[in-house]
Amino acid sequence: MKQTLSLILLSTLLSLTAVSHAQTAPQSNLTGCVEAYDPAVDYFPEKAEFIDAENVRVDYFNHYKVVSVTDAFDGADRFSYVLVQCGTPTPDATDFPDGTQFIEVPVARFIALSTTQLPHLVELGRVDALVGVDSFDFINTPAIRAKIDADELVNVGSGSDINLEVVLAAEPDVVMTFGFNPATDAHPVLIDAGVFTAMNASWREATPLGRAEWLKNTALFFNAEAAASARYDEIAAAYVEAQQLAASVPADERPTVLWNYLSPFSDAWSIPGAQTYAGAIINDAGGVIALGETAPGDSNRVSLEVVYDGALDADVWVVNGFGINGVDDLLAQDERYADFAALQNGTVWNNNLDVNENGGNNYFELGVTNPHLILADLVAIFHPALVPGHEFTFFRPLTPAE
C-alpha cells in the first residue's frame, strides 16, 4: 500500500512539474526578460536556420544562442558571440574561445555602420531600436531618414576614425559593423573600448540569397527569428520565381553582359567572375557575364584594352558607375567607349535609378536584402518580352549622347 501511495505521489509530482514547465515555457521568443528562470525551459522556441548564407551559423541552447561568423574579411578568424536571454544566467566564459563576446537579448539599442543593415530593421519592425549610424549622407531608407530629420540618431563615423565618445554616449547594446582590414576597421577600436561589436560578413557571400539571408543574423539580437524567417522565405520565393522565368530562355538567346564597376579615379576595370555575386545574378537573370571566366571566383581588374579585345561586342553593358547618367558621361571618360556595341545599340544601363542627393545608392541598401527586385530588373533588361510593362527599381538606361 505504501509503495502504491509513493508511486501515486511521484506521478503527481512529475505531472505538476510538467504542468509548471508547460506554463513557463514561452510559445514564441520573448520580447522582454525572464522573470523566473527554469533551466529545463527552451526560451527560443522560434529558431533561425541559415540555408543560403555560408558565413554565419547559430546554435541554440535552452537559454542562450551561440553565433559564429566566418570569412568576415581576408584572413579573419572566427568571430563568436553568445546571446543570452535576459533574466537567465550567463554561461561560463571559460567554456568558449578567447575573444567571445557576451550580450543579453533582446537588445534595445542598436548602431549600424553600414546602410545594408538598415532595411533589416524595417523588415523586423525594430527601427525604434536604432540610435546611431556611420553617416547620414548616404541613407535612403525612408523610416531611417525620418529619424534623422527628427534628430533621433547620432552620426558616429566609421573605420578606425570612429568617434568613440559619441558611440559611448549613445549607450548601444550592440554595434553592427563589417571588416576589410583590422588596421583601418572600426571593430578593433570598439572591442578594445568594451563595446559589444557584431561583424556582418554578408558582403562576402557569393550568392544574392546568401547575402539576403543575413536578415536572420540581425534578427537573432532581437529574438525576431520568426519574422525574419517568414520574410526571407517570401524574398527567396520571389527570387526563384524570377529565376525560373529566365531559365525558360534557350542558351543561344542569352545576351552577353558586360558588367563592371567604373571609377573616375582609376583606369582599371573591375570585372566580376562567373562565380561571384554579380556572376550568379546575371546567370539567374538569363545572361552570360562577359570575361567572367578570367577570374571565376573573384573580381578581375583589367585594362580597357583587355575589355576592348574580349567584350567589345557584348549585347548589354551595365556600368555600375557613380555619376554616370548619360552616354556623354561615359564618352567623357574615354572616347573609345563609342566603339562598344551596347553603346551603339542603346543597351547601356546603370544601377542609379534610386540615388539620394548625396549619391547614396539604394541598390546597395535596399537591394542587398531584396535581391528579387534586382533580379526582376535584370530579367526585364535582358528579356523584356518576359515581363512587359516592368517598373524598374534600381536600373535605368543611359540617356543618348547629345
Side-chain angles (χ1 to χ4, degrees):
M1 182 67 178
K2 289 182 178 179
Q3 184 177 11
T4 301
L5 182 59
S6 297
L7 290 173
I8 292 173
L9 290 174
L10 178 60
S11 177
T12 302
L13 180 61
L14 291 174
S15 297
L16 290 174
T17 301
V19 170
S20 174
H21 285 170
Q23 289 174 342
T24 58
Q27 300 303 305
S28 58
N29 291 0
L30 299 177
T31 57
C33 295
V34 172
E35 295 183 0
Y37 170 62
D38 184 339
V41 169
D42 180 0
Y43 290 101
F44 305 112
E46 298 165 331
K47 297 174 172 59
E49 180 184 4
F50 292 95
I51 301 168
D52 296 294
E54 297 184 349
N55 297 328
V56 59
R57 65 171 290 169
V58 58
D59 294 295
Y60 287 90
F61 301 86
N62 275 8
H63 70 284
Y64 64 93
K65 34 194 170 181
V66 178
V67 183
S68 301
V69 174
T70 57
D71 195 33
F73 48 85
D74 287 345
D77 293 328
R78 179 187 300 270
F79 289 87
S80 298
Y81 314 109
V82 178
L83 281 53
V84 184
Q85 172 60 49
C86 67
T88 71
T90 300
D92 187 343
T94 60
D95 293 334
F96 300 91
D98 291 343
T100 298
Q101 297 180 73
F102 293 75
I103 190 173
E104 289 190 341
V105 293
V107 300
R109 299 177 67 80
F110 189 94
I111 288 179
L113 297 188
S114 171
T115 59
T116 63
Q117 299 151 15
L118 301 178
H120 294 179
L121 302 178
V122 175
E123 298 287 5
L124 300 174
R126 292 311 315 266
V127 171
D128 62 301
L130 187 68
V131 296
V133 295
D134 63 328
S135 171
F136 296 159
D137 291 344
F138 305 113
I139 293 173
N140 289 272
T141 303
I144 311 301
R145 297 296 317 177
K147 286 180 72 78
I148 294 172
D149 294 341
D151 199 26
E152 295 176 355
L153 297 180
V154 293
N155 185 335
V156 302
S158 61
S160 56
D161 293 327
I162 193 165
N163 192 324
L164 265 181
E165 182 178 351
V166 175
V167 171
L168 295 172
E171 299 182 330
D173 296 315
V174 56
V175 175
M176 184 167 286
T177 186
F178 55 92
F180 289 108
N181 180 352
T184 56
D185 291 339
H187 70 273
V189 178
L190 292 167
I191 293 172
D192 285 347
V195 178
F196 184 97
T197 307
M199 297 295 289
N200 183 306
S202 60
W203 71 280
R204 302 280 283 187
E205 300 286 347
T207 66
L209 289 178
R211 294 188 184 186
E213 198 174 21
W214 278 75
L215 167 65
K216 296 179 183 178
N217 174 70
T218 302
L220 296 173
F221 293 91
F222 295 102
N223 283 353
E225 283 94 327
S229 296
R231 179 56 184 145
Y232 178 73
D233 287 347
E234 293 174 351
I235 291 167
Y239 189 95
V240 170
E241 181 179 2
Q243 181 185 31
Q244 291 176 341
L245 182 64
S248 66
V249 178
D252 60 357
E253 295 180 17
R254 292 180 166 230
T256 300
V257 180
L258 176 58
W259 180 286
N260 66 299
Y261 300 95
L262 275 182
S263 169
F265 309 109
S266 173
D267 293 331
W269 284 47
S270 181
I271 303 290
Q275 297 170 16
T276 62
Y277 171 92
I281 204 165
I282 289 170
N283 179 70
D284 290 344
V288 178
I289 189 167
L291 302 174
E293 296 305 325
T294 55
D298 202 353
S299 291
N300 187 23
R301 295 185 67 80
V302 300
S303 66
L304 174 58
E305 286 71 24
V306 171
V307 178
Y308 200 91
D309 290 340
L312 189 66
D313 296 328
D315 302 294
V316 178
W317 181 7
V318 183
V319 298
N320 298 299
F322 178 79
I324 297 177
N325 301 308
V327 170
D328 286 336
D329 296 323
L330 276 181
L331 296 178
Q333 290 192 12
D334 198 307
E335 294 182 353
R336 288 175 293 177
Y337 292 162
D339 296 335
F340 283 68
L343 190 144
Q344 296 174 5
N345 297 330
T347 52
V348 183
W349 295 72
N350 201 356
N351 63 6
N352 62 351
L353 178 61
D354 188 2
V355 175
N356 73 14
E357 66 276 10
N358 298 310
N361 192 336
N362 214 13
Y363 172 86
F364 298 107
E365 186 171 335
L366 179 67
V368 174
T369 307
N370 296 273
H372 61 296
L373 300 178
I374 297 176
L375 183 62
D377 275 6
L378 293 178
V379 172
I381 292 171
F382 302 163
H383 308 288
L386 292 179
V387 282
H390 175 76
E391 293 186 10
F392 286 89
T393 304
F394 302 113
F395 294 89
R396 63 181 186 82
L398 296 194
T399 56
E402 295 182 358

